[in-house]
Structures are given as C-alpha cells and as structure tokens.
Coordinates of all heavy atoms in Angstrom, one line a residue:
L1 N -98.3 -252.8 -3.4 CA -97.9 -254.2 -3.5 C -97.0 -254.6 -2.3 O -96.2 -253.8 -1.9 CB -97.1 -254.3 -4.8 CG -97.9 -253.9 -6.1 CD1 -97.0 -254.2 -7.3 CD2 -99.2 -254.7 -6.2
Y2 N -97.2 -255.8 -1.9 CA -96.4 -256.4 -0.9 C -95.0 -256.8 -1.5 O -94.0 -256.7 -0.9 CB -97.1 -257.6 -0.2 CG -96.2 -258.4 0.7 CD1 -95.8 -257.9 1.9 CD2 -95.8 -259.7 0.3 CE1 -95.0 -258.7 2.8 CE2 -95.0 -260.5 1.1 CZ -94.6 -260.0 2.4 OH -93.8 -260.7 3.2
F3 N -95.1 -257.3 -2.7 CA -93.9 -257.8 -3.4 C -94.3 -257.9 -4.9 O -95.4 -258.2 -5.3 CB -93.6 -259.2 -2.9 CG -92.4 -259.8 -3.6 CD1 -91.1 -259.5 -3.3 CD2 -92.6 -260.8 -4.6 CE1 -90.0 -260.0 -3.9 CE2 -91.5 -261.3 -5.3 CZ -90.2 -261.0 -4.9
W4 N -93.3 -257.6 -5.7 CA -93.4 -257.9 -7.2 C -92.0 -258.2 -7.7 O -91.0 -257.8 -7.2 CB -94.1 -256.7 -7.9 CG -93.2 -255.5 -8.1 CD1 -93.0 -254.5 -7.2 CD2 -92.4 -255.2 -9.2 NE1 -92.2 -253.5 -7.7 CE2 -91.8 -253.9 -9.0 CE3 -92.2 -255.8 -10.5 CZ2 -91.0 -253.3 -9.9 CZ3 -91.4 -255.2 -11.4 CH2 -90.8 -254.0 -11.1
L5 N -92.0 -258.8 -8.8 CA -90.7 -259.0 -9.6 C -91.1 -259.2 -11.0 O -92.2 -259.6 -11.4 CB -89.9 -260.2 -9.0 CG -90.4 -261.6 -9.1 CD1 -90.3 -262.2 -10.4 CD2 -89.6 -262.5 -8.1
S6 N -90.1 -259.0 -11.9 CA -90.2 -259.3 -13.3 C -89.0 -260.0 -13.8 O -87.9 -259.5 -13.8 CB -90.4 -258.0 -14.1 OG -90.5 -258.3 -15.5
E7 N -89.1 -261.3 -14.1 CA -88.0 -262.1 -14.6 C -88.6 -263.3 -15.3 O -89.8 -263.7 -15.2 CB -87.2 -262.6 -13.4 CG -87.9 -263.6 -12.5 CD -87.1 -264.0 -11.3 OE1 -86.1 -263.4 -11.0 OE2 -87.4 -265.1 -10.7
K8 N -87.8 -263.9 -16.2 CA -88.2 -265.0 -17.0 C -88.6 -266.2 -16.1 O -87.9 -266.5 -15.0 CB -87.1 -265.4 -17.9 CG -87.5 -266.5 -18.9 CD -86.3 -266.8 -19.9 CE -86.7 -267.9 -20.9 NZ -85.6 -268.2 -21.8
D9 N -89.6 -266.9 -16.4 CA -90.0 -268.1 -15.6 C -90.4 -269.2 -16.6 O -90.4 -269.0 -17.8 CB -91.2 -267.8 -14.7 CG -92.4 -267.1 -15.3 OD1 -92.8 -267.6 -16.4 OD2 -92.9 -266.1 -14.8
S10 N -90.9 -270.3 -16.1 CA -91.2 -271.4 -17.0 C -92.7 -271.6 -17.2 O -93.2 -272.6 -17.6 CB -90.7 -272.7 -16.4 OG -91.2 -273.0 -15.1
G11 N -93.4 -270.5 -16.9 CA -94.9 -270.5 -17.2 C -95.7 -270.1 -16.0 O -95.2 -269.7 -14.9
Q12 N -97.0 -270.1 -16.1 CA -97.9 -269.6 -15.1 C -97.8 -270.3 -13.8 O -97.8 -269.7 -12.7 CB -99.4 -269.8 -15.6 CG -100.4 -269.2 -14.8 CD -101.8 -269.4 -15.3 OE1 -102.0 -270.1 -16.3 NE2 -102.8 -268.7 -14.7
S13 N -97.7 -271.6 -13.8 CA -97.5 -272.4 -12.5 C -96.3 -272.0 -11.8 O -96.3 -271.8 -10.5 CB -97.5 -273.9 -12.8 OG -98.7 -274.3 -13.4
D14 N -95.2 -271.8 -12.5 CA -93.9 -271.3 -11.9 C -94.1 -270.0 -11.2 O -93.7 -269.7 -10.1 CB -92.8 -271.3 -12.9 CG -91.4 -271.0 -12.3 OD1 -91.2 -271.3 -11.1 OD2 -90.6 -270.5 -13.0
A15 N -94.8 -269.1 -12.0 CA -95.0 -267.7 -11.4 C -95.8 -267.7 -10.2 O -95.5 -267.0 -9.2 CB -95.7 -266.9 -12.5
I16 N -96.9 -268.5 -10.2 CA -97.8 -268.6 -9.0 C -97.0 -269.2 -7.8 O -97.1 -268.7 -6.7 CB -99.0 -269.4 -9.3 CG1 -99.9 -268.7 -10.4 CG2 -99.9 -269.7 -8.1 CD1 -101.0 -269.6 -11.0
N17 N -96.2 -270.2 -8.1 CA -95.4 -270.8 -7.0 C -94.4 -269.7 -6.4 O -94.2 -269.7 -5.2 CB -94.6 -272.0 -7.5 CG -95.4 -273.2 -7.7 OD1 -96.5 -273.3 -7.2 ND2 -94.9 -274.1 -8.5
K18 N -93.8 -268.9 -7.2 CA -93.0 -267.8 -6.7 C -93.7 -266.9 -5.8 O -93.2 -266.5 -4.7 CB -92.4 -267.0 -7.9 CG -91.3 -267.8 -8.7 CD -90.8 -266.9 -9.8 CE -89.7 -267.6 -10.6 NZ -89.2 -266.8 -11.7
G19 N -94.9 -266.6 -6.2 CA -95.8 -265.8 -5.3 C -96.2 -266.5 -4.0 O -96.2 -265.9 -2.9
L20 N -96.5 -267.8 -4.1 CA -96.8 -268.6 -3.0 C -95.7 -268.6 -1.9 O -96.0 -268.5 -0.7 CB -97.2 -270.0 -3.4 CG -97.5 -271.0 -2.3 CD1 -98.8 -270.6 -1.7 CD2 -97.7 -272.4 -2.9
H21 N -94.5 -268.7 -2.4 CA -93.3 -268.8 -1.5 C -93.1 -267.4 -0.7 O -92.5 -267.4 0.3 CB -92.1 -269.1 -2.3 CG -92.2 -270.5 -2.9 ND1 -91.3 -270.9 -3.9 CD2 -93.0 -271.5 -2.7 CE1 -91.6 -272.1 -4.3 NE2 -92.6 -272.5 -3.6
K22 N -93.7 -266.4 -1.3 CA -93.6 -265.1 -0.6 C -94.8 -264.8 0.3 O -94.7 -263.9 1.1 CB -93.4 -263.9 -1.6 CG -92.1 -263.9 -2.4 CD -91.0 -263.5 -1.5 CE -89.7 -263.4 -2.2 NZ -88.5 -263.0 -1.3
A23 N -95.9 -265.5 0.0 CA -97.2 -265.2 0.7 C -97.1 -265.5 2.2 O -96.6 -266.5 2.6 CB -98.3 -266.0 0.0
T24 N -97.7 -264.6 3.0 CA -97.9 -264.8 4.4 C -99.3 -264.7 4.9 O -99.6 -264.7 6.1 CB -97.1 -263.8 5.2 OG1 -97.6 -262.5 4.9 CG2 -95.6 -263.8 4.8
G25 N -100.2 -264.7 3.9 CA -101.7 -264.5 4.3 C -102.3 -265.8 4.8 O -101.7 -266.9 4.6
D26 N -103.4 -265.7 5.5 CA -104.1 -266.9 6.0 C -105.0 -267.5 4.9 O -105.2 -268.7 4.9 CB -105.1 -266.4 7.1 CG -104.4 -265.7 8.2 OD1 -103.5 -266.3 8.8 OD2 -104.6 -264.5 8.4

C-alpha cells in the first residue's frame, strides 16, 4: 500500500475524497 488509514468519516464519498487528496497517479 502507498497509504492507508482507519478513522471515522462521513461516508463513502468522504473516504474517497481522502484517498483522492493523497493520490499522485496519472
């Protein structure tokens, strides 16, 4: 894994956004 975390969020969209903010892919 490049990155992972486990913490409370406000749902699927919030979780995907967190991943998006870490993403560096094309």
Side-chain angles (χ1 to χ4, degrees):
L1 305 179
Y2 170 73
F3 177 81
W4 75 274
L5 64 76
S6 180
E7 65 180 21
K8 186 176 180 180
D9 55 45
S10 61
Q12 185 181 9
S13 297
D14 185 28
I16 295 167
N17 285 340
K18 288 180 180 180
L20 178 65
H21 297 162
K22 291 290 184 180
T24 65
D26 306 297

